[in-house]
Amino acid sequence: MTTKQPIIRPGQKKGYTKATRQQIEHRIESAALLRFCGFNKSEIHRVFRAFYGVEWRQTDRYIYMAIAGVREARESLPRSPAKRYAILLHSLI
């Protein structure tokens, strides 16, 4: 199986290959998890550069998508603390 060669456009310093949907989802989840664990923005940038080879600007996009996803998930939760607690307990089992 041959891998696709990175694309280098005029003005770019290095080539890139576009991430698949699955890779994007994984990176967004990773950004959300790192934020949840208390990593600050520059630490997340270092992790993403080391593991994924992603530049700062793209890492920022993943962080913002993770934040938006958390907000959407929070809005879909029930307002009642008792119901939220039940959902939490059910997810831990």
Side-chain angles (χ1 to χ4, degrees):
M1 184 158 107
T2 59
T3 58
K4 203 171 183 182
Q5 290 296 323
I7 299 168
I8 301 177
R9 294 196 173 111
Q12 287 182 324
K13 294 181 183 176
K14 64 179 190 173
Y16 76 96
T17 54
K18 190 170 180 178
T20 63
R21 281 238 188 253
Q22 187 178 14
Q23 289 171 327
I24 292 170
E25 293 291 325
H26 179 72
R27 292 173 186 181
I28 293 170
E29 289 173 7
S30 298
L33 181 62
L34 290 171
R35 284 190 45 87
F36 178 76
C37 290
F39 283 67
N40 64 30
K41 200 172 181 181
S42 61
E43 291 170 332
I44 295 173
H45 284 283
R46 273 189 251 126
V47 169
F48 269 64
R49 173 161 283 180
F51 282 96
Y52 304 119
V54 177
E55 297 295 327
W56 282 68
R57 188 170 177 153
Q58 187 60 40
T59 303
D60 280 341
R61 288 186 189 123
Y62 290 135
I63 292 170
Y64 296 137
M65 284 188 262
I67 292 169
V70 168
R71 285 186 186 143
E72 287 175 12
R74 218 181 276 156
E75 290 170 1
S76 67
L77 285 175
R79 299 239 184 244
S80 163
K83 288 182 181 177
R84 287 185 181 192
Y85 183 71
I87 291 171
L88 177 64
L89 284 178
H90 182 69
S91 67
L92 294 175
I93 297 174

